[in-house]
Amino acid sequence: MTFEALQKTISVTFADQELLKQAFIHRSYLNEARSIKESNERLEFLGDAILSFLTSQFLYKTYPLYPEGKLTNIRSSLVNTKSLGTASASLSLGDLLFLSKGEQESGGRTNQSLLADCFEALLGALYLDQGIVAAQNFLEKHLFPNTEEIISNKKYVDFKSHLQEVIQEKTRVSPTYVVIKSEGPDHAKTFWVEVRAEERLLGSGEGKSKQEAEQNAASDALSALEKLSAS
């Protein structure tokens, strides 16, 4: 993947090519490229706000009969780290990331959290360069089509509540969630969480908030339990 190929894929030619490239500069790269002073974190911050607004607008208009709570849960599933990471991977955005050697060697180009951050940064850059309509068109093509699959498979449900019900059917012990690691600046932290029951590891997950990481850990645990019961 090249920047030229990416622009053909998303049907947009950036007026400011440097702005496009900035969306792919991970903070680790600044340590090795002294001439570059800014990472993609500010663009990610902007893209996150635009993503929330445009996704809320899309869901509000598309599902007029859904109550606020259900729309909130669907939005959370549509814009979480896993969903954005998958959308980012489908566009091969990881190929274009500017990473430190260490980050590359540790699998940074396929790291879901980094890919999700890059997706938001690209959205922020697209908004600045082309405006809100271009940002909306990008999401309508590369993210919003996933909504129906989320709804049909009920991926918007509260995984933590579901896991608690499953565990308490067998034991009276509630699952516990432990943050095992967090990285990044305050406005863009990534959290890693494990969920356990009676000291037994059930699943793990990561996210841009503790709540999202816990939901992903619960989802991972439910998937593992389903496979175990099926075997």
Side-chain angles (χ1 to χ4, degrees):
M1 174 65 75
T2 64
F3 284 108
E4 182 180 5
L6 172 62
Q7 290 173 96
K8 287 182 179 179
T9 299
I10 65 176
S11 303
V12 170
T13 300
F14 271 69
D16 186 345
Q17 292 291 312
E18 291 305 311
L19 179 64
L20 171 60
K21 291 179 181 178
Q22 187 184 336
F24 292 83
I25 299 173
H26 186 256
R27 64 177 179 273
S28 66
Y29 189 71
L30 301 184
N31 298 323
E32 298 180 3
R34 302 295 183 181
S35 61
I36 298 177
K37 303 300 181 184
E38 188 174 358
S39 71
N40 64 0
E41 288 175 348
R42 280 167 49 84
L43 287 173
E44 177 198 338
F45 167 79
L46 178 61
D48 177 68
I50 295 164
L51 176 65
S52 180
F53 164 64
L54 289 176
T55 303
S56 298
Q57 177 180 262
F58 164 74
L59 293 175
Y60 181 86
K61 290 181 176 180
T62 307
Y63 304 100
L65 301 181
Y66 285 7
E68 178 268 344
K70 187 172 184 178
L71 291 174
T72 298
N73 289 340
I74 295 170
R75 182 182 62 191
S76 295
S77 295
L78 189 57
V79 304
N80 67 19
T81 300
K82 184 176 181 180
S83 176
L84 295 184
T86 299
S88 187
S90 71
L91 289 167
S92 301
L93 299 188
D95 294 350
L96 299 175
L97 279 170
F98 294 93
L99 303 169
S100 68
K101 185 178 179 181
E103 195 69 53
Q104 287 190 64
E105 291 176 347
S106 64
R109 295 196 185 281
T110 57
N111 181 289
Q112 278 200 332
S113 181
L114 266 62
L115 290 175
D117 292 346
C118 183
F119 187 92
E120 290 182 336
L122 175 59
L123 182 64
L126 185 58
Y127 165 75
L128 289 177
D129 193 82
Q130 300 285 319
I132 195 69
V133 173
Q136 181 176 332
N137 290 340
F138 171 74
L139 292 176
E140 287 178 350
K141 184 177 180 181
H142 299 290
L143 183 66
F144 293 166
N146 300 334
T147 310
E148 282 302 314
E149 194 263 341
I150 288 172
I151 293 172
S152 62
N153 291 321
K154 295 186 176 181
K155 291 185 176 181
Y156 60 88
V157 300
D158 184 345
F159 292 114
K160 288 181 65 177
S161 295
H162 188 191
L163 179 63
Q164 180 150 330
E165 291 173 5
V166 170
I167 296 299
Q168 289 190 334
E169 281 181 3
K170 301 176 181 179
T171 70
R172 294 184 179 181
V173 177
S174 296
T176 57
Y177 297 83
V178 180
V179 177
I180 57 172
K181 185 174 69 169
S182 65
E183 289 182 357
D186 288 341
H187 75 276
K189 275 191 179 296
T190 299
F191 296 88
W192 284 263
V193 166
E194 289 183 349
V195 57
R196 297 175 176 272
E198 298 181 316
E199 302 302 317
R200 182 165 64 97
L201 177 64
L202 300 177
S204 60
E206 66 181 76
K208 294 185 178 182
S209 67
K210 291 180 184 178
Q211 293 79 7
E212 182 183 337
E214 288 173 355
Q215 286 288 341
N216 288 336
S219 176
D220 183 54
L222 288 166
S223 296
L225 290 172
E226 286 176 10
K227 290 178 182 178
L228 189 63
S229 62
S231 61

